[in-house]
Amino acid sequence: MARPLILHDDRLFPADPTVRGIARELYATVAALPIISPHGHTDPAWFATNEPFRDATDLLLAPDHYVFRMLYSQGVALDDLKVPRKSGVPATDPRAAWKLFAKNFHLFRGTPSWIWLNHVFSKVFGFTEFLGEDNADAYFDGINEALATDAFRPRALFDRFNIETLATTEGPHDPLKHHKAIRESGWGGHVITAYRPDAVIDFEDERGPRAFERFAEVSGQDVYSWKGYLEAHRLRRAAFIEAGATSSDHGHPTAATADLSDAETESLFQSLVKGDVTPEKAELFRAQMLTEMAKMSLEDGLVMQIHPGSHRNHNVGLLESHGRDKGADIPVGTEYVQALKPLLTRLGNDKRLSIILFTLDETTYSRELAPLAGHYPTLKLGPSWWFHDSPEGMMRFREQVTETAGFYNTVGFNDDTRAFLSIPARHDVARRVDSAFLGRMVSEHRMDLVEAQELIVDLTYNLPKKAYKLDQPRPLPAPALAAE
Amino acid sequence: MARPLILHDDRLFPADPTVRGIARELYATVAALPIISPHGHTDPAWFATNEPFRDATDLLLAPDHYVFRMLYSQGVALDDLKVPRKSGVPATDPRAAWKLFAKNFHLFRGTPSWIWLNHVFSKVFGFTEFLGEDNADAYFDGINEALATDAFRPRALFDRFNIETLATTEGPHDPLKHHKAIRESGWGGHVITAYRPDAVIDFEDERGPRAFERFAEVSGQDVYSWKGYLEAHRLRRAAFIEAGATSSDHGHPTAATADLSDAETESLFQSLVKGDVTPEKAELFRAQMLTEMAKMSLEDGLVMQIHPGSHRNHNVGLLESHGRDKGADIPVGTEYVQALKPLLTRLGNDKRLSIILFTLDETTYSRELAPLAGHYPTLKLGPSWWFHDSPEGMMRFREQVTETAGFYNTVGFNDDTRAFLSIPARHDVARRVDSAFLGRMVSEHRMDLVEAQELIVDLTYNLPKKAYKLDQPRPLPAPALAAE
Amino acid sequence: MARPLILHDDRLFPADPTVRGIARELYATVAALPIISPHGHTDPAWFATNEPFRDATDLLLAPDHYVFRMLYSQGVALDDLKVPRKSGVPATDPRAAWKLFAKNFHLFRGTPSWIWLNHVFSKVFGFTEFLGEDNADAYFDGINEALATDAFRPRALFDRFNIETLATTEGPHDPLKHHKAIRESGWGGHVITAYRPDAVIDFEDERGPRAFERFAEVSGQDVYSWKGYLEAHRLRRAAFIEAGATSSDHGHPTAATADLSDAETESLFQSLVKGDVTPEKAELFRAQMLTEMAKMSLEDGLVMQIHPGSHRNHNVGLLESHGRDKGADIPVGTEYVQALKPLLTRLGNDKRLSIILFTLDETTYSRELAPLAGHYPTLKLGPSWWFHDSPEGMMRFREQVTETAGFYNTVGFNDDTRAFLSIPARHDVARRVDSAFLGRMVSEHRMDLVEAQELIVDLTYNLPKKAYKLDQPRPLPAPALAAE
């Protein structure tokens, strides 16, 4: 029997009436603010072509590793969910996949996916009953019908979601044609890119050789020589900046940095390019490249983001059959204090540089990251990330970071998602949890309401804009000029 | 002056009236459910012989390392508590030991022992005043008088405690005669065993040589040859399954696994058997044996439990004078992501295999264990363990695990105790803390009451039965047939 | 527009009326108890000379690394805050520095500095508006005027703050003349010292050579010979005890201990003294010296404090320009179980020895420290330290430590501060957070009110006195005899 799906106005607020009252008041001031989404993984092709999304399974289930990992963990076969294999998309009926998902929806109880999906079902599609086996068909048909309408095309949703800025992520070898198309389309949505060079920095990444080829093509440089490689980075960073980028992003296995001499670095690079790759040399090159990227940031102003500590593709069999990003990335313990020292010794006091640190290892919040960010002018802390992008995770972040780093060494919320429809849900969770945290602070007389009111706006809107340099005058998009 | 000992109906529920009201309602639905105790260390001899327990000190104080460790930490001599030495039980007057305990009972404030002991004193023995120096004699006498009655014999308490299934733990060298006696006794209590082969797997365990001898005797195999050793495991696992076992249990220093070739494993084993033991080789063999046990589980269906991360017998002097298990086991940092990879690479996607992971290192809840269990079909998470079997520990477990692993990759509560009388108290704490956690979820509109009502029953009863395969038809106990 | 600065009577108490009511009642019983401050870093010269403090910037801003680190992290130059360089104090106008601080006061929202500073502004100086840009001058003038009065001289504040005992910290090479002057002054304030030998134990400390010279001078021993070095320690410990010391303090990079033979130790020492210093040898010597200090404690009764796990002076450039203690000490992961084993194997069961452990790595609370302290008679746990001396940090400490170590293996609060005026604020926070924690325990029926009432007095007053041996009869201060 289906139960009513109602997003309660006070969801995620503590039950205590005093705290809840303050949280509600704080949240009310930011609930309708535009979304700043400075770090994420949506597909720019959606906004370039504005083609309708295909169907419920293709949009919400098969590509979302948060969702299918949980089903897989409980014995559901990925083929039955129509999750693509390396050899192609399974022939599974998308409706059957959806029904299997619906039947197992209870597995998501207590997870952020439950919150996000119900938000999407209720607010985006207008469903009024919880998803279950009984109404799986109705859901599937209803979603598909909606997706076929103009109101559910990507740009319409972007506008409806009140997104002020949305950053995607591309590799340096990406020609950025979708971003070009967006700018030339006349559409006013502010979709920008971010510079993510991992594939041409990590010599242990199996995508490396192909990425290098394309990096050479798109930059016109001899990327197999150290000078050409560096110049290619400089050129591509400039092209990315032209496509709106204000940040680079670095998803390394560890937070290691290095500060080698130019000669040492060149020699290391050449050895790696020749194929003499060992784990130690690959790690050292990644470490050195963070410093090289930081040096380029001094010149071109890109904010650096460092996202370390994920053991990628832990499931060896699944990597072989299904490829990367299939829900088998597992966090590992991550050390920052020694790891960042070479870079910080070189550039940590240079106010021109801004580095935003992320972690999947929550033990570093109070032990390493807050003390580092509470001292070095270059460092700020990104929000609770990935598995910790959740109500409990966000609350732990604030509780463990704030006392040492304060609020102003944090940068607001990043949704970090490829699940476009969940973006409003995710930002809503962040606004609610921050309101709840501040509500508790006020109720315990640890700040007054005026301060909390300023802070909730800062955390929601001002800090991300400032940290990602989105508060600076930017050139009007070309198409706006050419739109007539 | 003695204070009234009252177990408040709302104990362990948050003070907030909304949360408390929901928690109370949820708890009411499970308070009287039978106890599933699938992992513990009670003595099967109690149920085989059904002899009365001796006295208060012998039952509640001298064997309970949770209790005497705290007293010892505050300067009380173990001899004065009648804790056995290797050379024998001290001649201490048991009443004097009890009075010393009573005098220091305030040391347990804020600890789970305080909760468990007061539950036992109140619910099992009917005391109405807190234990203290003044009433120590009355307690001692009252407990002893009760223990002398039939109502306090082991089987009567088992029935009174409403235990549906109780698992003990035995080594492979154990002939399981007590379990045989229980089955043949005609008593209907479902007491089963579990297969804990550490003593014949860990070549650094001082109990090894004697255990190997008995392993050979009881299995009739040449356990000093690799083939005989494996066959002995197979035979003993079968015998344990006949004695009701549905699980094996592995208490290794680390979570390391390995996947060596058969030839490498045999060679390693032979070298160890010959006495060529190094820490590295002992560790590698333990690691490989987890994989060997997993392979046997594919055949015989035993659920694997892995309990790593305790530095056993840290107190060298105490180990010499008093032997093992004297409250000096200290947790150490424990890594799972790399450690489990060899086993998971081999068998992690095989749905026939079920592995339940435990930890004493809470930092791994959100960082490693929940992400692993939220992906691999073979993995589930055991409850908060040992030092973390406590209200705060249980709450941290739910808060840190649920968002990534969900509820359905957890397995309900394990009391893990040898303190038989505390079993109802421990399960009661778990039911209350889960009710409190779910109460908060409902009060914050993160799930609805219908979901919470289903979940509290699942967490209390259905999940442990399913995870430990206790929900499957089992042969009627032999004695029930032969009882006439 | 300035907002009223009001320290709410219920600050730091949970909003829930039940918990708050109990917390308020508990706090009321300890709010006015004298302050026991057994570990801190105030300057004994203040109490010896009783000279007035200079001005607001010199007292509250420039020397407080909690304060200027946050400003620095947000791009404020240390020179502009008048923070001393190695080359001297910047010529910055102290009023301008204060105004810059005032303008940025919002950066401290959510931090303990915000609480402490507002407590000082309100309770010590009587301000009734929050500090801000508008009233920065009024604050600066008001503070300076107050400081010029007799009521704000160090001894008057000491008395006003109701400090029963205040410990400072000196190196063994310190001649303790200020402490002598205090005793001889006839003033009754109980200011004692503590023995902190790091500078003559850590051969990697750049202060070492000068400290050794002074150690030789003040002890009259040949401190470059092993026998003379040990004898110098013995003599200086005796002199410190004469100056009231009841504890030694050891701020090592790690918690490593060793138990070398005398011959090995002497050989190690001689090699280091000759300048053959490697990180491994320096670490081993520090490790061994903890055991040597413990052995001396058996003789002279000093309580040992071990404060490991800070990566000191992480900012290399700042160390060069500004020297030590400039807000760039960063915690690192710290292991205790293996590290302490050599010392504990030797002396861990000896009740004459008392060791108080601290940590900056909160992951060790529940995993290592509480289990260790809940077993070994020698071990107790110091309060949440430094970055964790904060409301959230204190609450995490109680939540993560109590269930395994109990309350009686903890030692009450240490302010650990050099910011004299903040001492009452810091102790007030501790009393409030402990009241809140106990209030929750009582509200959840995990202890009764009588127990909580005893505990709040123990945590505030009795435990620190007992743990630091301040509850023992002490010789009347010499000046009291000579005062006529």
Side-chain angles (χ1 to χ4, degrees), chain B residues 3 8 12-13 16 20 69 72-75 109 112 114 311 314-315 327 331 361-362 390-392 396, chain C residues 16 337-338 341 349 351 366-367 371 374-376 399 403 408-409 440 443-446 448 451 454:
Chain B
R3 302 179 337 273
H8 197 285
L12 295 171
F13 297 155
D16 179 83
R20 179 168 286 192
R69 80 192 309 277
Y72 185 69
S73 79
Q74 287 280 313
R109 288 171 180 164
W114 188 96
H311 182 115
H314 188 270
N315 191 325
D361 179 354
E362 294 181 300
S390 63
E392 302 294 321
R396 283 197 292 272
Chain C
D16 179 84
V337 181
Q338 296 291 352
K341 194 165 180 179
N349 297 302
K351 294 175 209 168
S366 72
R367 188 180 59 216
H375 169 69
Y376 280 102
E399 289 170 352
E403 294 186 319
Y408 292 93
N409 284 307
R440 181 162 75 82
S443 79
E444 297 179 359
H445 308 289
R446 293 160 70 175
D448 68 12
E451 293 178 295
E454 274 182 40

Side-chain angles (χ1 to χ4, degrees), chain B residues 67 113 130 477 479:
Chain B
V67 174
S113 294
F130 273 107

Side-chain angles (χ1 to χ4, degrees), chain C residues 250-361:
Chain C
H250 307 276
H252 292 192
T254 74
T257 64
D259 190 16
L260 305 178
S261 69
D262 289 349
E264 287 168 322
T265 307
E266 179 165 358
S267 159
L268 175 64
F269 174 77
Q270 284 171 345
S271 155
L272 286 162
V273 161
K274 279 178 199 149
D276 182 11
V277 177
T278 65
E280 295 70 28
K281 288 166 71 172
E283 173 77 351
L284 183 58
F285 186 71
R286 289 187 299 256
Q288 178 62 27
M289 281 307 295
L290 288 181
T291 304
E292 299 296 335
M293 291 288 108
K295 288 191 274 185
M296 290 188 195
S297 280
L298 290 187
E299 296 166 15
D300 64 22
L302 287 185
V303 172
M304 287 184 78
Q305 302 170 88
I306 303 181
H307 282 90
S310 175
H311 182 116
R312 304 273 171 180
N313 312 304
H314 188 271
N315 191 323
V316 175
L318 206 63
L319 178 62
E320 280 170 23
S321 60
H322 287 73
R324 301 170 63 86
D325 299 327
K326 289 301 175 293
D329 296 347
I330 311 290
V332 291
T334 304
E335 199 277 339
Y336 291 85
V337 181
Q338 296 291 352
L340 294 176
K341 194 165 180 179
L343 172 53
L344 292 172
T345 297
R346 173 136 189 174
L347 296 170
N349 297 302
D350 191 324
K351 294 175 209 168
R352 293 171 300 166
L353 179 63
S354 184
I355 302 174
I356 302 174
L357 299 173
F358 294 80
T359 198
L360 293 171
D361 180 354

